[in-house]
Amino acid sequence: MDLQLQGKTALVLAASKGLGKACAMALAAEGANVVIGARNQDTLRAAADEINALGKGIAVPVPIDVREPEAAEKFIKTAIKHFGKIDILVNNAGGPPFGKFETFDDTAWAQAFELNLLSTVRFSRQVLPYMRTTGSGRIINIVSLSVKTYLENSVLSTSIRMGVVGMAKMLSNELGPDNITVNNVAPGLILTDRVKDTLPKTVDFEEALAQRAKDIPLKRIGRPEELAALVTFLASPLAGYITGATIQVDGGAVKGPY
Ligand code: NAD
């Protein structure tokens, strides 16, 4: 299937590794040019080199911290300088720390808000004039399956990402007339460094993976490219009638009927 992404411009945040990098790779493999951002210049450059080695869409690395108020402007300026337009925004960032409700003070809440909601607000707001000029747009937010089901110790992530889901629903209504779609993709357990870091070191790696997957109907942890496949489809013109949706990629882990 031709996803019709050749020559599109995609901004992918937090893309030096993990889910963001997988999304950037998948979009570039379909011919989209990608502007990728993360904090560490060296890992970001290495990710761009890897994407450019595919010989499809071009990757431009822009070192940014998505929490900084000026990050969106810097990022978007670079994208316009290189490619002249913006078609797709993939909002992503690192996740806030895990822990019980009473372990987090006001500072931890404010940091989670800045990292996962305010960054999404700023980037989304600032791409809109460019998407309107193009006559269409795709905004895709990476959230978490915890917006659909209980996930232990995820009070910061869940509370803040509920805000992202609410914002996306509002935007999907407001931006529908501009042909700009806004959707959320909710990863279940997908094997990235964030997940590897939480595996017990006392057992063999494969055994630890199997243990973590025992309650997942598909009996395995997902691969980043399996989440990236959905993001790439939602970013394409073929997904033009999907907006305001939150879709999980979780091997069936969300047990509710929605
Ligand atoms: P990861 O740790 O593998 O990668 C995180 C990426 O974010 C890296 O590129 C890092 O450099 C970048 N980053 C972190 N803070 C940043 C900042 N302030 N500014 C710019 N870049 C920043 O994590 P991941 O597993 O790819 O997770 C991505 C998102 O998906 C996170 O918000 C995570 O909470 C969420 N999520 C992941 C899973 C999973 O199973 N992997 C499940 C649910 C939710």
Side-chain angles (χ1 to χ4, degrees):
M1 190 192 297
D2 177 10
L3 291 180
Q4 302 168 22
L5 284 164
Q6 186 72 39
K8 300 277 186 194
T9 307
L11 312 189
V12 188
L13 305 176
S16 65
K17 58 182 189 162
L19 303 180
K21 179 180 166 192
C23 292
M25 298 259 325
L27 286 162
E30 292 296 327
N33 297 316
V34 293
V35 183
I36 60 172
R39 288 165 303 176
N40 185 301
Q41 197 154 359
D42 294 339
T43 43
L44 187 64
R45 160 72 52 197
D49 289 348
E50 218 180 301
I51 295 168
N52 285 323
L54 295 173
K56 302 279 183 63
I58 298 164
V60 174
V62 184
I64 47 152
D65 185 329
V66 296
R67 295 169 298 188
E68 286 172 4
E70 65 280 6
E73 195 185 341
K74 174 182 171 189
F75 202 72
I76 288 166
K77 263 191 187 153
T78 310
I80 294 298
K81 190 178 102 196
H82 282 268
F83 303 117
K85 65 183 179 123
I86 296 170
D87 302 291
I88 299 153
L89 168 65
V90 180
N91 280 310
N92 183 37
F98 291 104
K100 299 273 180 231
F101 175 70
E102 286 171 289
T103 62
F104 296 120
D105 59 12
D106 286 4
T107 305
W109 279 92
Q111 284 172 347
F113 168 76
E114 281 195 357
L115 181 64
N116 294 108
L117 180 53
L118 191 54
S119 65
T120 302
V121 170
R122 287 196 184 114
F123 277 85
S124 301
R125 191 170 54 213
Q126 294 191 42
V127 296
L128 291 182
Y130 299 97
M131 289 183 172
R132 284 203 179 95
T133 305
T134 311
S136 68
R138 299 276 181 269
I139 298 177
I140 300 153
N141 307 314
I142 296 182
V143 290
S144 165
L145 96 164
S146 72
V147 300
K148 293 204 171 196
T149 192
Y150 175 73
L151 179 64
E152 200 174 354
N153 287 324
S154 72
V155 66
L156 280 183
S157 166
T158 302
S159 308
I160 299 296
R161 293 183 203 281
M162 289 290 196
V164 174
V165 171
M167 187 188 82
K169 183 52 85 177
M170 293 301 298
L171 287 188
S172 66
N173 277 270
E174 289 185 21
L175 303 176
D178 295 311
N179 198 23
I180 298 170
T181 66
V182 188
N183 292 291
N184 308 300
V185 171
L189 202 53
I190 311 275
L191 194 58
T192 63
D193 286 353
R194 177 167 168 87
V195 170
K196 281 182 195 158
D197 290 346
T198 66
L199 292 174
K201 307 289 177 275
T202 45
V203 288
D204 167 70
F205 181 65
E206 292 302 326
E207 174 57 25
L209 290 182
Q211 276 178 18
R212 287 294 293 278
K214 70 179 174 12
D215 294 330
I216 299 173
L218 287 179
K219 297 295 169 207
R220 65 177 178 85
I221 292 179
R223 298 187 298 273
E225 57 271 25
E226 292 178 307
L227 180 124
L230 175 61
V231 170
T232 306
F233 176 70
L234 289 174
S236 77
L238 277 63
Y241 202 55
I242 303 174
T243 193
T246 301
I247 307 173
Q248 66 268 34
V249 179
D250 69 343
V254 170
K255 298 296 193 298
Y258 36 81

